[in-house]
Structure formats: C-alpha cells, structure tokens
C-alpha cells in the first residue's frame, strides 16, 4: 500500500515536497516512480528512482527543478519540486514497479494521489 501526501496550493516559483509512504511490502526491493495527471490529460511519467537510490530519471519538463529521493529506513519516497510552474498543476501519484521504466503499465501498485495546484 502506498500513501501519498504533501500536495497543496503554491504560487509559481514556489516549492513543495511530496511524500509517499509504503507499507505491507519490502520497500527497498522496488523501483519507485512519480506520475501526474493534469485535468483533461492522460497520466504521465515524472520521475523514477532505482532500488538503491543511485539512479534517478526525470521527464524533460521537470529536469533540474524536481528531485526524487528515497529513505529506506522510513519506507518513503519523496519528490522535491522547486521553481513550480502553472503547468505543473496535476494530481501526483506514486507507484511501485519491478522494472526500471517510465511505462505506466509496468507499475503495479499505486498511491491515491495528491493534488498540486500552482497559481500564476
């Protein structure tokens, strides 16, 4: 089970940190990803982190602004979002996979989503 939190309303240029707490599974065995879905759009890949935390991959639109990290001691993955833009407005989901992949269908466990709204 994954529980995402940390969303909210922020002005453009601001920052938010999302958290995703995992329970009921061996957290360190899974690739963890963040995805987002803007109103009227399909869910899209944002970032993933490998099991050790040493490999991080981002979609181009967030590269240099967002940072994904994981704390195995707390069974939690984070998404630090800086320099937020109105186009970052979306529901953000965390997910777990056995594969290093951007593909949604490769993630078999999903959190409930947390809403991020960036005002201009």
């Amino acid at each position: 089970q994954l529980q995402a939190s940390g969303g909210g309303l922020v002005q453009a240029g601001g920052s938010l940190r999302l958290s995703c707490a995992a329970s009921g599974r061996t957290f360190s065995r899974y690739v963890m990803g963040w995805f987002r879905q803007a109103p009227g759009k399909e869910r899209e890949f944002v970032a993933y982190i490998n099991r050790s935390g040493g490999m991080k991959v981002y979609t181009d639109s967030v590269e240099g602004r967002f940072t994904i990290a994981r704390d195995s001691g707390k069974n939690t993955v984070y998404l630090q979002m800086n320099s937020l833009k109105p186009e970052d407005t979306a529901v953000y989901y965390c997910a777990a996979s056995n594969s290093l992949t951007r593909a949604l269908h490769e993630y078999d466990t999903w959190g409930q989503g947390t809403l991020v709204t960036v005002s201009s």
Side-chain angles (χ1 to χ4, degrees):
Q1 183 177 358
L2 301 176
Q3 182 76 28
S5 62
L9 174 64
V10 63
Q11 289 188 333
S15 298
L16 281 175
R17 188 177 80 157
L18 306 184
S19 299
C20 175
S23 61
R25 57 170 50 202
T26 307
F27 175 75
S28 61
R29 294 171 59 181
Y30 295 92
V31 174
M32 298 299 297
W34 284 98
F35 295 79
R36 66 186 180 186
Q37 187 165 16
K41 296 188 177 181
E42 294 185 351
R43 194 171 300 187
E44 64 174 3
F45 167 77
V46 175
Y48 72 71
I49 187 168
N50 72 343
R51 296 168 180 82
S52 69
M55 178 181 178
K56 304 172 185 181
V57 174
Y58 302 91
T59 193
D60 288 348
S61 62
V62 309
E63 182 80 56
R65 300 189 297 122
F66 290 12
T67 302
I68 189 170
R70 65 192 300 162
D71 184 335
S72 293
K74 296 182 178 180
N75 280 5
T76 301
V77 62
Y78 303 97
L79 187 68
Q80 177 67 43
M81 305 185 296
N82 299 327
S83 302
L84 282 161
K85 304 175 181 180
E87 52 263 43
D88 295 317
T89 294
V91 177
Y92 284 72
Y93 298 88
C94 58
S97 175
N98 288 305
S99 303
L100 291 168
T101 180
R102 301 171 182 243
L104 273 70
H105 68 272
E106 295 285 352
Y107 288 79
D108 61 357
T109 302
W110 291 79
Q112 85 288 4
T114 184
L115 176 62
V116 173
T117 304
V118 184
S119 63
S120 57

